[in-house]
Amino acid sequence: MKILTASLLILLVCLQLHAQTLPLARNYEAAYKKQTRSANGRPGKSYWQNTAGYNIAVRFNPSTRLVSGSEDIVYFNNSPDTLNEIIFKLYPNFYKKGSQRDSPVDTADLSDGVHITSLSVNGASREIHEPEGTNMRLHPVKLMPGEKMNFHLDFSYLLNKTSHQRTGMVDDSSAFIAYFFPRIAVYDDIDGWNRIPYTGQVEMYNDFCSFNVSITVPGNYLVCATGDLLNANEVYAPAIAQRISAAEKNDGITKVIDTGDLKNGSITAQDPTNTWKFKADSVTDFVFATSNHYAWYASSLVVDKATQRRVRVDAVFNPAHKDYFNVIDYARKTVESMSYNFPAWPFPYPHETIFDGLDQMEYPMMVNDNPLDDKADEIELTDHEIFHTMFPFYMGINETKYAWMDEGWASIGEWLISPMIDSSVEDDYGMGAYNHSAGYDFDAPITSLSTQQNGASYFLNAYAKPAMGYLYIKDMLGDELFTKALHYYMEQWHGKHPMPLDFFNCMNAGSGKNLNWFWQQWFYDEGYPDLAIMNVKQSGGNITVTVVMKGNKPVPVHLTVYYKDGTTEALHQSMAVWEKSNETAVSFTSGKKIKKIVLGGVHDADTDKTNNVWQPE
């Protein structure tokens, strides 16, 4: 234990007081009063979160598309509240006839939704209430604080085939199966039960739970899933099981299943069906994928030099998709870059599997990525989805309300890591859309609830705008201090449920700086970014460029000086220059003749670039 000095205590108190100047909604104010959250960003002394243990047995028949199973749930009420109802999430009801949706569904995929044939609570059979969309309410119950309750459910539904919304059939004998089991919704200290239905656009919010899952599929199908496979020697042919073991120790690429194996058919145990057993602890979700004609390339790497812990990285794909042969390299480099460069945090899970699917979606330890023809697109998609490992899964983000708290991080991860994989890739995902649309009436503040946005507003606030905010803070603090602040946030909240103020306050405390002026302007306020070169003064070889902030969104100042001899010079000021002024001067000395001076960088938002170029008369 380290003793805080008096000066550090004073600093923390001041930061707490300053942090209160950010908008404080009533449900957050109540959490502060109950001391479940704190103004320094750390979980309060009374912080709690609920959890559950899931034991699931599921069967999937690709020819009929029937998903059927049973589950036993032990749910722990760690809250100070008596729970008189339990809310279940039935995510496959997104495809149920009559359900509310904000994403298109092919009429051929409309179904009767999840069919629950039995439900019991603590061994006693209970009436099954008609779900409302993807929510099913069980009442009355009485689950006291500190107690647990046992549930048993039998369920089935028909997997969608033609409209692949994050889950479904990939082809006639391949499927990515997510959100397949009834689960208990999050009950938290901010909103109580999460009653927001899943309607297609906004994503998920789930508790950290443990999973023991057995998956039964036809005998010639392989299964990939969240967690550790417990019975590889039972379900794989001996040679394949040996290759898996080798891949877990090998920095190179292991062809666990190649095209020759697919021709020979000697991959899985030769039984009519095989049951695959997986275990995962402290994860927010469990998904699986299956196919009878996919190749599998694998590698592994040390992600933590202190402990020498290794992570296996997989690409499981249709060999007809030639681009996927390179995905294993992109995926491995992403995990390496995340562990050592950005966010410089050891990859937290035992494996990461990229499955050749029909979407662009992340899950704990799994990714469902469609094939792409362009190399840059392949790299950007791969690292974006893998980066989600940290946000939302490791950090427990409420994606349903705050998409920017995870998609924004995946976007900056994509911007920074793509060039690490291939230096020729310059990723500016979302920048053009924001430069075009910033300040329009649909351009709401980033902190607007994701459930209240759609179209361009949702896209801008989930992806590019928060990514720019994170990047500008990184630029202003410098890599070392930014990493220190980000790690402080991650240390406090991994495995928990951070909310927006927890992030802002942690970054303030972790950096030792009051950044509220920026959080307010970039994340809470309406407006747009617009920098301009106001004038350039030259006195001999001394040049001063005056830049003004015409908009109200602060961005860094990047100037590129183009000389007539063909050389260039880069000048930079962080956005800190805008904290107390809307004008700044950039001075430099040069004896060369200037051809032009250009304001702006790849990730510097600017709605009017016509005033970003100066040329001598």
Side-chain angles (χ1 to χ4, degrees):
M1 179 180 291
K2 293 183 179 179
I3 306 299
L4 292 174
T5 65
S7 59
L8 181 55
L9 282 170
I10 292 171
L11 172 62
L12 290 175
V13 170
C14 290
L15 285 172
Q16 291 176 29
L17 292 174
H18 282 303
Q20 295 292 333
T21 62
L22 291 176
L24 187 65
R26 288 179 60 201
N27 46 346
Y28 280 87
E29 185 177 8
Y32 278 54
K33 290 179 179 178
K34 294 178 181 178
Q35 297 186 321
T36 57
R37 314 266 162 169
S38 63
N40 62 10
R42 299 169 60 182
K45 67 177 185 180
S46 300
Y47 178 79
W48 55 267
Q49 63 192 54
N50 290 350
T51 187
Y54 289 81
N55 284 286
I56 304 171
V58 61
R59 301 179 69 91
F60 175 61
N61 186 333
S63 62
T64 65
R65 295 186 285 121
L66 182 67
V67 179
S68 60
S70 62
E71 63 179 343
D72 291 291
I73 308 170
V74 182
Y75 182 68
F76 297 88
N77 179 20
N78 297 321
S79 82
D81 307 324
T82 298
L83 303 182
N84 297 309
E85 61 178 348
I86 301 293
I87 304 297
F88 284 86
K89 294 292 185 181
L90 307 179
Y91 289 127
N93 276 2
F94 171 78
Y95 287 97
K96 185 177 181 179
K97 299 169 186 175
S99 287
Q100 177 187 354
R101 282 180 291 273
D102 51 30
S103 298
V105 167
D106 194 307
T107 54
D109 281 326
L110 294 178
S111 68
D112 294 328
V114 179
H115 184 47
I116 297 178
T117 55
S118 67
L119 169 62
S120 64
V121 179
N122 290 335
S125 180
R126 290 293 300 266
E127 178 185 0
I128 300 169
H129 297 267
E130 181 66 22
E132 296 182 6
T134 56
N135 289 344
M136 183 180 75
R137 180 171 177 249
L138 175 64
H139 67 96
V141 298
K142 190 173 184 179
L143 180 54
M144 301 292 289
E147 294 188 352
K148 62 183 179 180
M149 187 169 280
N150 297 285
F151 302 87
H152 176 87
L153 299 93
D154 296 313
F155 62 92
S156 64
Y157 71 95
L158 199 63
L159 187 67
N160 51 295
K161 181 178 182 180
T162 57
S163 47
H164 190 106
Q165 180 72 18
R166 302 190 174 107
T167 178
M169 298 297 296
V170 177
D171 56 41
D172 287 341
S173 52
S174 304
F176 197 103
I177 303 174
Y179 323 124
F180 64 93
F181 57 95
R183 76 192 68 200
I184 297 176
V186 174
Y187 183 86
D188 68 24
D189 62 314
I190 299 295
D191 298 321
W193 286 112
N194 171 25
R195 301 177 188 271
I196 301 171
Y198 172 56
T199 57
Q201 176 177 262
V202 297
E203 297 178 17
M204 313 302 177
Y205 180 37
N206 296 310
D207 275 321
F208 286 89
C209 300
S210 62
F211 294 91
N212 283 281
V213 183
S214 63
I215 303 164
T216 301
V217 294
N220 59 334
Y221 280 70
L222 64 81
V223 175
C224 309
T226 301
D228 296 320
L229 176 62
L230 303 180
N231 63 334
N233 292 327
E234 295 177 8
V235 293
Y236 279 118
I240 304 299
Q242 289 171 8
R243 292 176 201 168
I244 297 171
S245 179
E248 292 172 345
K249 306 177 183 69
N250 186 4
D251 287 347
I253 295 174
T254 300
K255 296 179 181 179
V256 178
I257 299 172
D258 63 15
T259 53
D261 298 310
L262 294 173
K263 290 178 182 178
N264 296 332
S266 55
I267 297 171
T268 58
Q270 301 301 297
D271 294 313
T273 62
N274 288 318
T275 298
W276 306 65
K277 298 177 181 179
F278 293 88
K279 179 178 176 60
D281 292 321
S282 192
V283 293
T284 57
D285 204 355
F286 184 96
V287 302
F288 70 96
T290 185
S291 178
N292 67 356
H293 61 277
Y294 271 28
W296 177 5
Y297 285 11
S299 182
S300 67
L301 68 153
V302 173
V303 297
D304 186 344
K305 292 181 180 178
T307 64
Q308 292 296 300
R309 181 171 61 85
R310 299 185 74 91
V311 167
R312 194 187 74 232
V313 183
D314 307 315
V316 181
F317 59 99
N318 185 340
H321 298 152
K322 301 305 180 184
D323 63 296
Y324 243 97
F325 284 89
N326 298 316
V327 167
I328 184 63
D329 182 53
Y330 308 149
R332 188 186 191 281
K333 288 178 179 176
T334 298
V335 171
E336 182 178 33
S337 296
M338 289 174 61
S339 299
Y340 296 109
N341 299 109
F342 183 78
W345 189 283
F347 196 86
Y349 299 119
H351 76 84
E352 182 68 19
T353 301
I354 317 302
F355 190 85
D356 181 357
L358 290 177
D359 215 298
Q360 300 183 354
M361 187 62 193
E362 70 282 353
Y363 318 81
M365 304 182 220
M366 295 282 287
V367 169
N368 176 7
D369 272 356
N370 60 293
L372 294 167
D373 294 328
D374 182 78
K375 179 182 178 181
D377 290 343
E378 295 169 355
I379 291 172
E380 292 159 9
L381 175 60
T382 300
D383 56 35
H384 180 105
E385 303 305 342
I386 295 177
F387 203 89
H388 275 300
T389 296
M390 296 300 189
F391 311 91
F393 303 125
Y394 190 62
M395 299 298 291
I397 304 298
N398 184 347
E399 299 174 89
T400 304
K401 292 174 65 176
Y402 312 115
W404 60 271
M405 292 186 71
D406 76 293
E407 294 294 355
W409 284 110
S411 296
I412 185 180
E414 175 184 335
W415 292 349
L416 296 177
I417 291 175
S418 294
M420 296 179 192
I421 297 174
D422 187 324
S423 60
S424 68
V425 178
E426 185 176 73
D427 192 318
D428 62 351
Y429 177 67
M431 290 300 306
Y434 183 56
N435 286 332
H436 173 75
S437 302
Y440 281 32
D441 55 3
F442 57 79
D443 180 25
I446 294 173
T447 50
S448 304
L449 295 181
S450 299
T451 52
Q452 298 175 358
Q453 304 174 69
N454 54 42
S457 176
Y458 177 85
F459 173 76
L460 294 174
N461 283 327
Y463 295 86
K465 286 169 64 178
M468 283 180 269
Y470 305 146
L471 189 64
Y472 300 163
I473 284 288
K474 181 175 183 289
D475 177 67
M476 185 177 74
L477 295 179
D479 289 348
E480 183 176 352
L481 186 56
F482 174 83
T483 300
K484 177 183 177 183
L486 179 58
H487 283 190
Y488 180 80
Y489 168 54
M490 296 175 70
E491 287 163 359
Q492 301 306 316
W493 286 100
H494 73 80
K496 302 180 179 67
H497 293 309
M499 302 298 171
L501 279 174
D502 303 318
F503 166 68
F504 296 138
N505 293 339
C506 272
M507 292 297 288
N508 288 352
S511 66
K513 295 181 179 294
N514 179 12
L515 304 170
N516 286 346
W517 69 274
F518 177 73
W519 304 133
Q520 179 70 48
Q521 291 181 51
W522 194 263
F523 286 83
Y524 285 92
D525 291 349
E526 295 182 339
Y528 59 91
D530 181 16
L531 302 188
I533 297 176
M534 187 168 72
N535 61 58
V536 177
K537 292 182 178 180
Q538 299 184 74
S539 178
N542 299 315
I543 302 101
T544 298
V545 183
T546 300
V547 179
V548 295
M549 184 169 73
K550 299 179 69 176
N552 66 330
K553 295 287 188 183
V555 301
V557 178
H558 286 100
L559 291 170
T560 304
V561 183
Y562 293 85
Y563 295 107
K564 289 186 177 181
D565 65 1
T567 61
T568 61
E569 182 175 357
L571 306 169
H572 165 260
Q573 290 181 345
S574 80
M575 65 178 184
V577 298
W578 308 121
E579 181 177 0
K580 297 178 180 179
S581 175
N582 66 347
E583 183 177 307
T584 186
V586 183
S587 299
F588 64 103
T589 302
S590 176
K592 299 180 180 181
K593 292 184 178 181
I594 297 174
K595 180 180 180 180
K596 63 179 178 179
I597 300 175
V598 178
L599 171 65
V602 174
H603 298 113
D604 296 342
D606 199 322
T607 57
D608 181 7
K609 296 189 177 184
T610 62
N611 49 28
N612 288 18
V613 179
W614 176 86
Q615 292 177 298
E617 296 180 356

